[in-house]
Amino acid sequence: MIIANIADFREAARRRLPRFLFEYMDGGSYAEVTLRRNVDDLGDIALRQRVLRDMSSLDLTTELFGHRQSLPVALAPIGLAGLNARRGECQAVRAAGGADIPFTLSTVSACTLGEVATAARAPFWFQLYMIRDRGFMKDLLAQAVEAGCSALVFTVDMPVPGSRYRDYRTGLAGAPGMKGALWRFAQALLRPHWALDVGVLGRPHALGNVAPVLKGKTGIEDFFAWMRNNFDPSINWRDLDFIRSEWKGPLILKGILDPDDAKAAAETGADGIVVSNHGGRQLDGVPSTARALPAIADAVGDRLTILADGGVRSGLDVVRMLALGAKGVMLGRAWAYALAARGEAGVSQMLALIESEMRVAMTLTGVTQIAEINQDILVRKPF
Ligand SMILES: Cc1cc2nc3c(=O)[nH]c(=O)nc-3n(C[C@H](O)[C@H](O)[C@H](O)COP(=O)(O)O)c2cc1C
């Protein structure tokens, strides 16, 4: 099919993936109110058109955490995205490296840190969850250091996982043992290309970094059971001392949605935050990130680097997030859809699309540099 935008990548992913995997990636928690708000609030922000300003030369480069990069974007951590295509995270890290932007490997990836480090063309970021087993966290952090990761994204908005109804309907959650496995197998049979590419040729490390703690269990339901039981609800600000003792590089807290938490992040010495509601997959009903971002930027924009994600589905949306106060933008489902649709080439194509859409948005709002993007390019103060 012809792919002209990220909505087309989504449709191609829907056709390519077994239903349980597509719905896992596409869905949000509970009634999916926040998931919809992320997309709608961002898309509703009106850009201010300016003309006749000689826009023949644009500079889209930006510096994040000491590295100059081609665009102010990074690929967000997406758990199990590696199942969207064969050894998927390795394909995505290559595409990100080729486009000169950071890739973030999730704790709960399909490929291991070592495998991704071997595939990578450039340093990548590692995302860590708070896990009950501190020894396992230490081990992962040591692997991230060994892999040369250039930043740590510590995700703080998952003390407990939100409930995602779609995963119950597809048998990914809640139908243990043979029943769930047979149900998913039937869905996989309806997607023979994926079944061969990932299910057969993509093995054996299907459960990546967490394989050692699963102790020989390889089922996807074993993996989800481990997630439910091992995410640590006691997570608190003092845990950052533990992280800091094991990780000396840039530290980014992901999942901040409130200015007071953002101030606390600045006070604990984080280098950056990601304004995020986990793509509407945690507490349904919280505000969209577009709505939360301006107050957070006012509170801490001069003290740490603010990244934002949630609902970004075009280069225009990237420019909108920058105008609301982000210094960089994380792309979530956008890259996961592209990977499912066309592998590494799909992620590269998606990033080229984002860049060309950003160029149009910058040209017609009259800004030639990323640093010039602020609320002046909006028709009115949005929230
Ligand atoms: C399928 C899926 C899996 C995710 N897994 C992780 C994860 O492992 N770690 C994490 O910090 N965030 C995870 N996220 C959240 C993303 O990093 C990001 O915050 C979110 O996707 C942004 O919203 P968007 O998809 O609308 O762009 C996941 C999101 C999705 C859709």
Side-chain angles (χ1 to χ4, degrees), residues 21 24-27 35 38-39 76-81 106-109 127-129 153-158 164 227 254 274 276-281 309-313 330-334 336-337:
L21 207 48
Y24 159 73
M25 203 172 48
D26 194 58
L35 173 66
N38 277 350
V39 175
I78 300 278
L80 294 183
S106 166
T107 304
V108 290
S109 52
Q127 176 266 325
L128 186 67
Y129 281 121
V153 176
F154 183 49
T155 299
V156 294
D157 62 359
M158 210 188 297
R164 298 163 197 153
M227 274 183 61
K254 175 169 180 286
V274 188
S276 177
N277 51 35
H278 218 101
R281 295 165 73 80
D309 71 20
V312 177
R313 300 290 181 269
M330 281 192 142
L331 304 171
R333 291 177 182 82
Y337 296 142

Side-chain angles (χ1 to χ4, degrees), residues 178-212:
M178 279 312 278
K179 196 171 163 216
L182 282 174
W183 195 356
R184 291 192 304 275
F185 184 67
Q187 294 169 42
L189 285 182
L190 294 173
R191 293 289 185 273
H193 288 111
W194 178 88
L196 177 66
D197 182 36
V198 179
V200 178
L201 300 172
R203 290 190 164 263
H205 319 282
L207 299 172
N209 299 316
V210 301

Side-chain angles (χ1 to χ4, degrees), residues 3 9 29 50 66 85 94 103 122 137-138 144 157 181 186 200 227 274-275 317 327 362 379:
I3 291 183
F9 274 120
S29 57
R50 304 301 304 277
R94 278 195 296 266
F103 167 81
M137 287 181 78
K138 268 189 179 184
D157 62 359
V200 178
M227 274 183 61
V274 188
V275 175
D317 287 344
K327 184 152 186 233
M362 288 172 69
V379 170

